Amino acid sequence: VDKKDAKVLRLALLGYGNVGRAFTALAGEKDAELQARYGLRLVFTGVLRRGGGWRHPAGVAPADLQASGWTASRLPAGATAFAGDGADFAAQCPADVLIELTTLEPLTGEPATSHVRAALAAGRHVVTANKGPIAHAYRALRALAAEHGVALRFESTVLDGLPIFNLAEFTLPATRITGLRGPLNSTSNFVLDRMRMGWSQERAIVEARALGIAEANPAYDLDGWDAAVKATVLANVLLDTDLRPQDVAREGLGAEAMQPALAALPEGYALKQMVEVERDASGAVRATVALRALPPGDPLAHLSGMETGILLHTDTMGNVTLLEGEGGPGQTAFGVLADVIAIARAHGVRSDR
Ligand SMILES: NC(=O)c1ccc[n+]([C@@H]2O[C@H](COP(=O)([O-])OP(=O)(O)OC[C@H]3O[C@@H](n4cnc5c(N)ncnc54)[C@H](OP(=O)(O)O)[C@@H]3O)[C@@H](O)[C@H]2O)c1
């Protein structure tokens, strides 16, 4: 595809941390491939972080953004500094898509929800890896997106870029997901795995922190709050309900529950902190986070260390299981890129398949 024939998609990036930087790097790596396969050219018309930001109406190519070595004091050539807050940026940055990658605030979902709302109301598509808006305001945001004829995509909110929401939307047509389960908290997976190998819990937590998988406060992981937020996102989207993280039952969790549960584990079984979502006979959706002993035949029992996965119960395919090796910002960035490509394809960009 000739460069001038490529469709340009203008991206505004809100949040430039681990995932934001991994995404701009991936967009740079895939730049030529996106043009060749999809006739698609991505440019950044603005980036904002807490420390400051800029706008560039014509847009900066991914490689130029990286080469610019942008810091708050040194902007890419032709850019002007942006002084407003995240919601101002989402509303005002001249872009087709807002990419929302700010820090998760699990109890309220703010200010990310306000960022997403401002972008949708301004007629921009939104891609986010931030669970907050989907856990706390999915129905309202979905309605706002529909009202403005734009897309709201969030593949990377759960299990990095592993295709869960895109699988359900694009490749499980006319299917009802009736329940799901998975060990979705990496820190708990890792700590239980190492304790099983004989490590002390303290050493396992220190190591999880050193690997960058544990929250600063490990209770957030071990007490099930991280998993409860993920359960809420999955339940609200895949089982079309309207839960909040506070509605998720968290049973028998916490650091002190792990050693006794491991000691009581039958031979050959695996102990996991599991998210479980199911619809009961009355139609109500119930979500739980609990330590569970998985029998050896369970497809999720053999996941070790930082591996994770999810099992979906469907009315067409029976159980569908997805497994992820080691996830991280690179995989999360892939999920963001997959969402951007899905938006481009739905809006007239040539498909290669
Ligand atoms: N890391 C992963 O593998 C992963 C996986 C799945 C989902 N996620 C989600 O992806 C999101 C980003 O994760 P991350 O690891 O990249 O986080 P991070 O490294 O902490 O980066 C967060 C970025 O957001 C900016 N920011 C925070 N609040 C802001 C505000 N109010 N206005 C403007 N900018 C703001 C920060 O600005 P400063 O740079 O100035 O501090 C920083 O650039 C989070 O919601 C996370 O839960 C991450």
Side-chain angles (χ1 to χ4, degrees):
V1 178
D2 195 315
K3 251 194 169 175
K4 67 181 180 337
D5 295 331
K7 180 182 169 74
V8 174
L9 204 62
R10 300 167 305 159
L11 310 180
L13 187 58
L14 183 36
Y16 196 58
N18 296 313
V19 179
R21 285 194 297 271
F23 174 68
T24 54
L26 183 63
E29 268 169 47
K30 292 281 180 185
D31 194 24
E33 193 173 340
L34 294 185
Q35 293 189 42
R37 291 178 67 169
Y38 307 106
L40 174 63
R41 198 155 70 81
L42 303 179
V43 297
F44 292 91
T45 49
V47 184
L48 184 71
R49 59 196 295 185
R50 267 179 299 224
W54 50 265
R55 283 189 298 180
H56 188 300
V60 179
D64 295 336
L65 171 55
Q66 288 180 282
S68 74
W70 169 56
T71 63
S73 58
R74 194 168 126 217
L75 306 184
T80 51
F82 184 83
D85 69 10
D88 298 333
F89 179 81
Q92 295 167 18
C93 186
D96 304 303
V97 187
L98 176 80
I99 314 275
E100 214 292 347
L101 301 174
T102 65
T103 315
L104 169 68
E105 205 299 296
L107 294 181
T108 66
E110 290 291 0
T113 302
S114 299
H115 299 161
V116 172
R117 195 179 289 121
L120 295 174
R124 305 189 206 295
H125 307 290
V126 171
V127 173
T128 185
N130 191 322
K131 293 177 273 296
I134 312 301
H136 289 276
Y138 177 55
R139 286 200 170 181
L141 296 174
R142 184 177 65 181
L144 189 61
E147 185 189 326
H148 290 272
V150 291
L152 169 63
R153 308 202 69 85
F154 41 81
E155 184 60 75
S156 287
T157 51
V158 180
L159 291 181
D160 311 310
L162 196 70
I164 301 171
F165 303 113
N166 288 325
L167 178 94
E169 180 177 347
F170 295 122
T171 61
L172 290 173
T175 293
R176 266 186 300 125
I177 293 173
T178 54
L180 56 90
R181 59 194 187 86
L184 302 185
N185 179 255
S186 316
T187 301
S188 299
N189 290 343
F190 181 83
V191 170
L192 285 168
D193 193 65
R194 291 300 185 271
M195 286 172 72
R196 190 105 196 258
M197 289 161 58
W199 290 29
S200 73
Q201 186 173 61
E202 294 67 33
R203 181 178 166 211
I205 290 172
V206 168
E207 183 67 15
R209 279 221 194 93
L211 289 168
I213 54 174
E215 296 291 328
N217 174 6
Y220 174 68
D221 292 309
L222 305 187
D223 291 354
W225 279 111
D226 170 72
V229 178
K230 290 173 177 164
T232 307
V233 170
L234 291 164
N236 290 351
V237 177
L238 297 179
L239 283 91
D240 195 21
T241 184
D242 197 21
L243 301 181
R244 296 291 175 274
Q246 293 83 345
D247 300 325
V248 177
R250 293 175 302 109
E251 296 171 357
L253 296 166
E256 62 291 342
M258 287 178 150
Q259 194 61 56
L262 276 170
L265 198 62
E267 181 67 26
Y269 278 54
L271 187 69
K272 301 277 181 198
Q273 188 208 71
M274 296 292 286
V275 162
E276 298 166 347
V277 180
E278 58 193 5
R279 194 182 294 281
D280 69 18
S282 74
V285 173
R286 180 177 157 75
T288 310
V289 182
L291 292 182
R292 299 282 191 227
L294 306 186
D298 189 307
L300 301 171
H302 303 287
L303 296 172
S304 63
M306 285 161 63
E307 295 171 340
T308 177
I310 189 167
L311 190 151
L312 306 175
H313 303 289
T314 75
D315 68 343
T316 53
M317 281 293 294
N319 293 341
V320 176
T321 308
L322 291 152
L323 304 179
E324 183 182 28
E326 289 189 12
Q331 286 67 37
T332 307
F334 163 72
V336 172
L337 183 66
D339 281 342
V340 167
I341 294 171
I343 288 170
R345 285 172 137 178
H347 290 81
V349 171
R350 187 172 55 82
S351 167
D352 71 333
R353 294 208 174 84

